[in-house]
Amino acid sequence: MASISLQNVSRHFGDFAAVDGVDLEAASGEFVTLLGASGCGKTTTLRMVAGLEQNTGGRIVIDDEVVSDAARGAFMPPEKRRLGMVFQSYAIWPHMTVFDNVAYPLRIRRRPKDEISQRVKLALKLVEMDSFAARPAPALSGGQQQRVAIARALVFEPRVLLLDEPLSNLDARLRTQTGDEFRALQKRLGITSLYVTHDQTEAMALSDRVVVMSKGRILQIGAPEEIYRRPNNRGVAEFFGSPNLIAATARASRPLADGLFSIDVEGDGWSGQCQASEGFSPGTVVSVMLRPENMRISDGDAPAMSWKGEVTASVFRGAQRSLSVKTAAGPLNVDISAFAHPAVGSNITLVADEAAAWAMAT
Amino acid sequence: MSEIVAPLQAGRAERPASAGLWSRWASGRGIGVLAIILLLSFLTIYPFAMLFYGSLHSTPPGMAGEYNLNGYRQLLSKEALGILLNTVGISLGKTIPSLTLAVFLAWIIARTDTPCRDKLEVLITLPFFIPPILTAMAWAMLGNPQVGLLNQLFKWATGVNYSPINVYSWGGVVWHMVQYSTPFLFLFIVDVFRAMDPALEESSRMCGASRLRTFGGITLMLMLPALTNAFILSFIRGMENFESPLFFGAPAKITVITTEMYNSINHHATPDYQYATAIGFGVMILMFALVIAQWRLLRGRSFTTVTGKGYSPSVMKLGKWRWATFGFCVLFFFITVVLPVSQLFIGSFFRFFGFYQWDMLTLEHYRAVFSSSEIWRAISNTMLLGLGGATLTMALGAVVAYISVRTKWRGRRVIDALAWLPWMMPGMVLGIGFLWAFAMLPGPIPIYGTIWALLLAYLALGTPVATRVMTGAYAQLSFDLEECSRVHGASFFQTLSRILVALAWPSFAVGWVLTFFGIMRELSASVLLYSVGSEVLSVVLMKLWANGLAEQVSVIGLMMMLLVILFRYVQIKILQRYVTTLGV
Ligand SMILES: Nc1ncnc2c1ncn2[C@@H]1O[C@H](COP(=O)(O)OP(=O)(O)O)[C@@H](O)[C@H]1O
Ligand SMILES: [Mg+2]
């Protein structure tokens, strides 16, 4: 298995920078996901790694081998890079059977016949498509095509697997299942994977690390939990769910044992302690992120932070109940147990723990 | 409750009346469908049946005679077999290089970063719109073994007294056909290239295949059904071709099916209609067989590889080679358009073609052409037939396509099939069929020998293309649009005309120009159906040429070229502005 390294990689289309100075390392066997809204340059980044698009700036290294270096004009064509790729449209060749599709990379490499049939069978078994080998490709469903595409990408034991939104053409139910199956397979084979999606739940469920992109740049790289709990900035925070972001002023900063900082903050009608990845000098205006599911209604005790307000809306969502509360610090969204039902118009007090409040530079 | 019941009852009370209206409307519709079926039958089935009748009839149309199989007996002779082999050989001989060339050009335009591809595409496809008779005459002057311009240039440049080019040969026939079928095939293939999902090729690269291997193993294989289709179509067109073998084959005693039919009517002491008609009927059977073979070959083998992406990321960077591909496209345009047009231009200003000296410069040919009442009559006939014929053909095509794509009426399949039938009738065969058909009409309908004969033939020949164009246009419009219009109380014709006017008119206009081109270039049916007073330009050109007036031919040819360029320009403008935006 191989590592991937992107060093200050850019791709310009005319004046427009689709990818702008991306630095990214994926260790051997790691599952790294590029996550971002449509048009932010994920596909372009992936295609540059594949060699289907040439980077106009920076260097791409796979396994200590420089495959593309814009400064030196070095460029290795895709067929030399030994990477497997699964396309968004799957790109299963309609004029071939399933077997021929999967056998193609081996035939290109002129492997002996019995080795081909053995390895194709093995690859099809991996994706549970071994009974479909003789099918003509057009007679497959979307989910089956996706499996064949994965088998075809894996059959020649590529160094890295690249996947461009492989689940986006499946229906919702199949998407979760296929995603989990693929992650299990990836772990079993230990193959380095670079995965592109615009779906944050998918990214969090599958990846070792998530790369959040926006407008051709990387906003943050980290493990799913880290990105979710401790975003670098508002852009990343807002990408996952709909968190409450409250303006506040930092009063004091103390370093904590795990490298984080504890910040004393004061806002409109509230004050308390939250955590941050950096210290802020007193007086700095910060954004405090509070996720709806991490806030609750006070049951009498009043820990560090609390907000008084009036319930303006209440929506039953089955698993939980979403409230909108009007407070002095602004409107706050809270998810509470579906069994509690404070009436609209009633006054309540919301509370949150220090660990659930995250401060960022605005 | 009573409030709800009341309108229901009222509705029930009204029903019989509205049902009566509906059935009256439906029977009106039945009559309309029947009328269209009758019209189409008159244009297709009737001449086809008359072809069979005529092939058994021993005398020319309209004369008393007996019934025998002499025509078919002649068909079974050794000479006839030779002619068939000639035809097949020439058609194969032109289809293979044309297809190769067309694939190469389409690849350049659709898949490489060759400069100015959009403009090159316009230039490459231009030869398809030029009447073949023009370039045939121009090439006959360019490649004449005695005085041809190219041979003169060669002699002048090398000092050798030898003519390397002789267009009056097998090669000359094929060469002329290639110039037409290449752009025709290109138009087909370039869209197939464009419609292909680039990921299908990119995944092959990712599997380790080189660019070349991918092109051979994936791209061409994916295109195989379309290429087979194009091949058969081009082969059929080659068998139908009349101009090239007439101009380049006949002087070299190379006879093909169409020229044999033409000769047996026009160049025998006594016109042998029965033989010509028997050939025509035989050709129809052959075409049927070919089309059925094509169907069986391609059944279920069309791969939909269409992508939704706006831009195609798989354009190949050719580096310095992109100037070579650019040059190749320009060269193609130069040889197929610039060279023959220049010949017409030069030819029109010299007293005798072939003698290009300063003291031979003259404007007398222009004077002769503009003062000839016969030529003016041909111009006005062609214009009348072109404008009227294109409008009627497109109107028929619009109605036929509408009924077959957009309604579920009974009889729509019959209509569709009838409208498609002339697709495989060569102009020459249809011409002979109509000769018989008009002659056999009851006395008081004097179509034969009038301009109406030509109009009906053009209508029949143009309907398949007109229907195809309009089918494509309707297919892009969503059904909701017109259902909405119908729900809001518009009648069938209101809906049709509103949709046509509002949305499908650019396609109508593009198809109209295409049909107009078709009429202007038509020779093989016209040459059989014209009579004194109803000559069209292509026929007059041929007569002038036969009388050795190549210089006047050049003048008329130039004027037709101007018309072609003007119309093509308008057509492209409409295509660019409206059709593409509609398509997206
Ligand atoms: N070949 C191209 N030519 C011009 N613009 C392109 C090309 N490829 C991508 N882009 C632009 O680059 C941006 C990023 O595209 P892409 O990487 O496909 O985004 P994503 O996959 O994140 O949705 C988009 O704005 C897109 O329009
Ligand atoms: Mg994308």
Side-chain angles (χ1 to χ4, degrees):
Chain A
M1 295 306 126
S3 61
I4 314 170
S5 163
L6 278 73
Q7 298 159 12
N8 198 21
V9 168
S10 303
R11 177 68 171 109
H12 289 256
F13 294 109
D15 286 339
F16 172 71
V19 175
D20 195 3
V22 161
D23 283 297
L24 173 64
E25 306 278 337
S28 180
E30 202 179 12
F31 191 122
V32 175
T33 299
L34 301 178
L35 174 67
S38 175
C40 71
K42 309 177 296 287
T43 297
T44 308
T45 308
L46 196 75
R47 288 170 60 82
M48 287 191 289
V49 176
L52 294 170
E53 200 88 61
Q54 193 166 356
N55 46 320
T56 49
R59 239 157 59 111
I60 300 173
V61 183
I62 297 174
D63 235 3
D64 303 327
E65 182 183 21
V66 179
V67 294
S68 173
D69 187 343
R72 286 196 295 119
F75 180 76
M76 184 189 271
E79 63 267 25
K80 298 259 166 62
R81 296 191 182 186
R82 286 206 296 121
L83 310 175
M85 183 153 174
V86 177
F87 289 81
Q88 191 168 3
S89 57
Y90 311 136
I92 298 296
W93 298 305
H95 60 299
M96 298 182 184
T97 61
V98 167
F99 183 92
D100 290 334
N101 263 283
V102 179
Y104 186 79
L106 300 174
R107 295 210 169 114
I108 294 286
R109 290 173 174 76
R110 298 181 196 288
R111 309 309 306 168
K113 234 189 166 112
D114 38 337
E115 186 195 326
I116 291 182
S117 87
Q118 212 172 8
R119 283 172 68 175
V120 170
K121 270 192 202 126
L122 211 66
L124 285 174
K125 210 176 197 103
L126 271 182
V127 295
E128 291 165 22
M129 287 290 292
D130 35 344
S131 56
F132 292 88
R135 278 263 181 115
L140 296 179
S141 73
Q144 292 169 333
Q145 286 191 35
Q146 195 253 9
R147 285 156 185 271
V148 174
I150 290 179
R152 185 178 63 189
L154 287 175
V155 73
F156 62 101
E157 293 174 356
R159 298 192 284 185
V160 174
L161 194 55
L162 308 171
L163 305 102
D164 190 358
E165 313 221 11
L167 304 180
S168 66
N169 287 337
L170 304 181
D171 56 55
R173 189 187 280 267
L174 202 55
R175 204 177 300 164
T176 329
Q177 185 199 340
T178 315
D180 293 344
E181 281 172 11
F182 173 67
R183 173 58 164 159
L185 179 66
Q186 185 270 337
K187 271 192 179 145
R188 190 141 56 91
L189 301 176
I191 185 165
T192 318
S193 302
L194 198 55
Y195 186 102
V196 161
T197 182
H198 65 269
D199 182 335
Q200 34 119 353
T201 36
E202 204 175 295
M204 285 191 289
L206 300 180
S207 333
D208 291 320
R209 278 195 304 152
V210 177
V211 180
V212 184
M213 291 183 67
S214 170
K215 294 183 184 146
R217 291 172 167 280
I218 292 181
L219 294 182
Q220 189 172 1
I221 304 179
E225 265 200 71
E226 189 184 335
I227 300 251
Y228 187 77
R229 294 238 170 100
R230 304 194 275 275
N232 268 348
N233 54 50
R234 294 178 65 120
V236 177
E238 279 171 335
F239 200 82
F240 298 90
S242 43
N244 298 301
L245 291 162
I246 322 175
T249 311
R251 291 291 173 223
S253 301
R254 275 182 313 282
L256 296 174
D258 52 4
L260 298 176
F261 288 80
S262 173
I263 319 280
D264 291 345
V265 293
E266 194 180 319
D268 280 339
W270 66 283
S271 66
Q273 280 180 340
C274 43
Q275 296 190 342
S277 59
E278 54 186 320
F280 296 103
S281 53
T284 316
V285 178
V286 295
S287 281
V288 176
M289 177 187 83
L290 288 155
R291 295 214 173 260
E293 69 270 22
N294 293 335
M295 301 180 82
R296 56 192 154 74
I297 299 174
S298 161
D299 44 12
D301 64 323
M305 285 173 284
S306 64
W307 297 264
K308 279 193 170 53
E310 180 192 336
V311 179
T312 55
S314 164
V315 180
F316 175 69
R317 295 194 194 279
Q320 85 261 8
R321 189 183 295 277
S322 300
L323 299 183
S324 297
V325 182
K326 200 172 117 195
T327 70
L332 296 179
N333 295 315
V334 196
D335 288 345
I336 57 169
S337 157
F339 294 111
H341 39 81
V344 171
S346 62
N347 284 305
I348 56 171
T349 303
L350 297 171
V351 293
D353 297 327
E354 175 182 351
W358 180 255
M360 302 164 283
T362 45
Chain B
M1 275 309 278
S2 64
E3 284 158 32
I4 299 171
V5 170
L8 265 182
Q9 280 170 339
R12 202 169 299 149
E14 269 168 26
R15 259 193 80 180
S18 71
L21 250 177
W22 194 85
S23 75
R24 221 179 310 152
W25 183 77
S27 73
R29 183 174 91 190
I31 290 170
V33 169
L34 200 65
I36 291 173
I37 291 181
L38 283 178
L39 173 63
L40 289 171
S41 304
F42 180 73
L43 292 174
T44 56
I45 303 270
Y46 179 52
F48 186 50
M50 283 299 112
L51 209 57
F52 183 62
Y53 171 86
S55 69
L56 300 172
H57 192 81
S58 65
T59 50
M63 279 186 222
E66 56 177 51
Y67 299 99
N68 59 38
L69 289 173
N70 286 347
Y72 292 103
R73 225 163 270 142
Q74 270 173 284
L75 264 194
L76 297 175
S77 68
K78 213 153 98 229
E79 294 90 79
L81 183 68
I83 289 169
L84 179 65
L85 288 181
N86 254 347
T87 314
V88 170
I90 285 179
S91 193
L92 276 182
K94 72 104 190 185
T95 301
I96 293 165
S98 310
L99 194 62
T100 317
L101 206 55
V103 168
F104 184 54
L105 288 170
W107 173 78
I108 291 177
I109 298 299
R111 283 302 169 88
T112 69
D113 64 342
T114 303
C116 312
R117 276 170 295 153
D118 47 343
K119 294 193 181 61
L120 286 178
E121 185 176 355
V122 172
L123 297 185
I124 288 174
T125 52
L126 191 62
F128 176 68
F129 299 95
I130 304 173
I133 189 171
L134 293 188
T135 49
M137 290 164 172
W139 273 100
M141 295 188 243
L142 281 166
N144 184 303
Q146 280 80 42
V147 293
L149 191 59
L150 292 180
N151 285 322
Q152 286 195 27
L153 280 175
F154 176 82
K155 287 178 194 165
W156 173 79
T158 59
V160 187
N161 193 13
Y162 166 74
S163 300
I165 296 170
N166 179 10
V167 287
Y168 299 118
S169 61
W170 207 87
V173 179
V174 167
W175 167 243
H176 187 244
M177 285 188 179
V178 165
Q179 294 181 43
Y180 283 89
S181 55
T182 303
F184 173 74
L185 290 168
F186 171 89
L187 284 168
F188 261 86
I189 294 165
V190 79
D191 283 337
V192 181
F193 263 121
R194 287 198 178 124
M196 194 178 293
D197 181 356
L200 288 169
E201 291 167 306
E202 288 169 354
S203 59
S204 163
R205 306 284 311 276
M206 294 311 294
C207 288
S210 67
R211 226 181 246 288
L212 201 64
R213 180 102 197 240
T214 299
F215 190 75
I218 301 293
T219 315
L220 281 185
M221 287 302 146
L222 284 169
M223 289 172 68
L224 201 58
L227 289 180
T228 315
N229 201 358
F231 184 93
I232 296 176
L233 201 57
S234 173
F235 180 70
I236 291 178
R237 297 278 136 180
M239 307 240 308
E240 299 175 2
N241 190 311
F242 176 54
E243 287 88 346
S244 313
L246 178 70
F247 278 86
F248 306 114
K253 302 268 183 296
I254 300 168
T255 312
V256 299
I257 290 175
T258 49
T259 46
E260 175 75 357
M261 285 167 76
Y262 178 69
N263 287 342
S264 59
I265 291 177
N266 279 306
H267 289 236
H268 283 196
T270 50
D272 192 348
Y273 278 92
Q274 189 179 17
Y275 176 46
T277 314
I279 303 178
F281 196 76
V283 168
M284 280 303 304
I285 303 294
L286 200 65
M287 294 290 167
F288 253 121
L290 276 173
V291 169
I292 287 170
Q294 181 180 17
W295 268 352
R296 306 200 65 148
L297 207 61
L298 294 176
R299 199 169 32 188
R301 295 245 301 144
S302 124
F303 307 131
T304 35
T305 54
V306 177
T307 161
K309 271 227 178 98
Y311 50 86
S312 163
S314 67
V315 165
M316 182 170 162
K317 303 214 166 39
L318 292 178
K320 260 182 281 176
W321 284 100
R322 71 186 201 278
W323 292 107
T325 51
F326 177 82
F328 186 81
C329 295
V330 171
L331 185 70
F332 180 81
F333 173 70
F334 181 81
I335 291 178
T336 56
V337 178
V338 177
L339 217 51
V341 172
S342 312
Q343 169 67 65
L344 293 180
F345 186 76
I346 295 170
S348 70
F349 287 110
F350 285 92
R351 188 153 293 144
F352 304 110
F353 111 82
F355 298 90
Y356 305 120
Q357 281 120 24
W358 287 116
D359 55 346
M360 289 286 203
L361 275 174
T362 176
L363 283 176
E364 75 181 57
H365 308 309
Y366 284 85
R367 264 193 297 273
V369 165
F370 289 122
S371 61
S372 157
S373 65
E374 196 193 357
I375 291 173
W376 277 115
R377 194 171 60 202
I379 292 175
S380 84
N381 278 343
T382 304
M383 278 306 172
L384 198 66
L385 284 167
L387 300 177
T391 310
L392 286 176
T393 310
M394 285 311 294
L396 183 61
V399 173
V400 166
Y402 189 89
I403 291 174
S404 70
V405 185
R406 296 252 139 182
T407 72
K408 305 243 179 302
W409 298 356
R410 241 190 301 160
R412 77 198 141 94
R413 285 189 208 291
V414 178
I415 290 180
D416 195 39
L418 283 176
W420 170 82
L421 211 54
W423 184 243
M424 34 177 208
M425 284 205 202
M428 181 70 65
V429 174
L430 195 81
I432 294 190
F434 270 131
L435 272 183
W436 286 97
F438 297 147
M440 298 302 291
L441 283 176
I445 310 178
I447 292 179
Y448 181 69
T450 65
I451 202 165
W452 295 99
L454 290 167
L455 185 72
L456 287 169
Y458 296 158
L459 195 54
L461 286 171
T463 301
V465 171
T467 309
R468 223 33 60 89
V469 168
M470 293 316 290
T471 305
Y474 296 142
Q476 288 177 358
L477 308 176
S478 90
F479 270 92
D480 315 349
L481 268 172
E482 85 203 80
E483 268 163 14
C484 177
S485 161
R486 293 292 284 280
V487 164
H488 287 93
S491 78
F492 167 72
F493 276 107
Q494 278 172 326
T495 308
L496 176 62
S497 63
R498 196 162 304 165
I499 287 193
L500 204 62
V501 169
L503 295 165
W505 79 264
S507 301
F508 188 93
V510 167
W512 190 92
V513 176
L514 210 57
T515 317
F516 186 90
F517 279 141
I519 292 174
M520 198 164 66
R521 67 193 291 172
E522 215 300 315
L523 178 65
S524 51
S526 317
V527 83
L528 291 176
L529 292 172
Y530 86 91
S531 61
V532 178
S534 67
E535 300 97 337
V536 287
L537 268 177
S538 54
V539 171
V540 166
L541 279 174
M542 206 174 104
K543 280 163 99 187
L544 289 174
W545 180 262
N547 292 336
L549 297 170
E551 302 79 13
Q552 294 190 16
V553 163
S554 303
V555 174
I556 302 173
L558 267 186
M559 296 191 309
M560 287 173 85
M561 265 316 295
L562 287 180
L563 204 64
V564 167
I565 290 170
L566 177 76
F567 272 52
R568 177 72 181 140
Y569 175 80
V570 171
Q571 190 188 30
I572 287 172
K573 283 288 151 214
I574 295 174
L575 267 171
Q576 278 172 349
R577 178 150 342 147
Y578 300 101
V579 178
T580 45
T581 49
L582 264 183
V584 170

